[in-house]
Amino acid sequence: MNETIEVLIGEEEISRRVKEIGAQITKDYAGKAVTLLGTLKGGVIFLADLAREIKLDVFMEFIKVSSYGNESESAGKVKLEYPEKADLAGKHIIIVEDIVDMGYTASWLCNYLHGLNPASVKLCALLNKPERRKVKGVEIEYLGFTIPDEFVVGYGLDYAQKYRCLPYVGKLRME
Ligand code: IMP
Ligand code: MG
């Protein structure tokens, strides 16, 4: 099968939006240090660009969770892969996610982090696919773009580990 990619959100549009989100975070957290908690691996490219648009003391941490099962069986099971124990107590944490899809990952992360006694926890996501949501009440404080129910790749997002380094977000088509 042939894989083709159609641009959905271009490089300049992403860059503009990342600058706006960075400025908003800079304003909202004025006088504080923020800890960006990137989700491996999808959130890495977004985090790298966003971090440089926040004019505050920025710390970076990373977390890896896997969600397994599919929609018909054992959907929504999330497992922590890394780190075994995160030291985030007292920190202002902003989770930096590539995409909120069904919402299991983001919801699990928020619950998990609240148990570590941080000063605050907010969610920042590059993309949101609200049509696919299964978990109610996932609040995205900082959002790049809302997209339709399409499988997308690029700017951190992958298909079978490919396409993460594309500078744009594109729809993946199998032909
Ligand atoms: P959720 O738990 O269903 O919200 O899943 C979120 C995770 O699924 C994301 O962090 C991505 O790793 C992956 N994912 C969901 N939709 C897409 C997509 O369109 N392209 C690539 N990865 C996706
Ligand atoms: Mg992810």
Side-chain angles (χ1 to χ4, degrees):
M1 238 192 311
N2 214 9
E3 292 164 15
T4 58
I5 297 161
E6 182 197 325
V7 178
L8 180 66
I9 310 165
E11 196 172 348
E12 278 175 29
E13 204 181 342
I14 294 174
S15 161
R16 228 180 297 127
R17 192 70 194 109
V18 170
K19 282 189 170 63
E20 285 171 4
I21 296 171
Q24 188 63 51
I25 291 173
T26 303
K27 212 170 123 208
D28 293 352
Y29 289 81
K32 295 173 187 150
V34 293
T35 299
L36 300 183
L37 180 67
T39 56
L40 296 172
K41 302 168 193 170
V44 164
I45 307 275
F46 178 36
L47 183 144
D49 285 345
L50 180 63
R52 288 174 288 178
E53 298 298 339
I54 300 173
K55 310 303 175 196
L56 301 169
D57 287 338
V58 174
F59 297 92
M60 293 182 195
E61 299 291 344
F62 295 93
I63 194 163
K64 184 166 172 51
V65 298
S66 58
S67 45
Y68 52 96
N70 54 43
E71 273 170 276
S72 53
E73 49 158 318
S74 67
K77 297 243 172 67
V78 177
K79 185 168 156 261
L80 180 68
E81 305 268 6
Y82 167 89
E84 235 169 77
K85 203 169 164 294
D87 182 16
L88 297 167
K91 310 256 165 74
H92 289 287
I93 301 165
I94 302 175
I95 303 165
V96 182
E97 259 279 33
D98 48 358
I99 186 164
V100 180
D101 183 28
M102 290 185 273
Y104 292 117
T105 309
S107 160
W108 187 93
L109 274 172
C110 289
N111 286 336
Y112 171 72
L113 293 169
H114 276 116
L116 302 177
N117 296 314
S120 65
V121 179
K122 294 266 195 277
L123 175 62
C124 172
L126 177 72
L127 305 171
N128 184 23
K129 265 195 232 175
E131 286 167 42
R132 296 245 310 161
R133 195 74 88 252
K134 287 276 162 53
V135 182
K136 296 250 171 344
V138 175
E139 215 178 299
I140 309 173
E141 190 78 17
Y142 303 103
L143 174 66
F145 305 91
T146 295
I147 61 165
D149 181 8
E150 299 265 7
F151 193 85
V152 292
V153 295
Y155 201 70
L157 294 109
D158 74 304
Y159 170 67
Q161 301 302 325
K162 289 183 288 185
Y163 309 121
R164 291 192 195 276
C165 297
L166 294 176
Y168 53 83
V169 170
K171 297 183 206 176
L172 182 70
R173 298 247 183 270
M174 307 282 205
E175 266 135 29

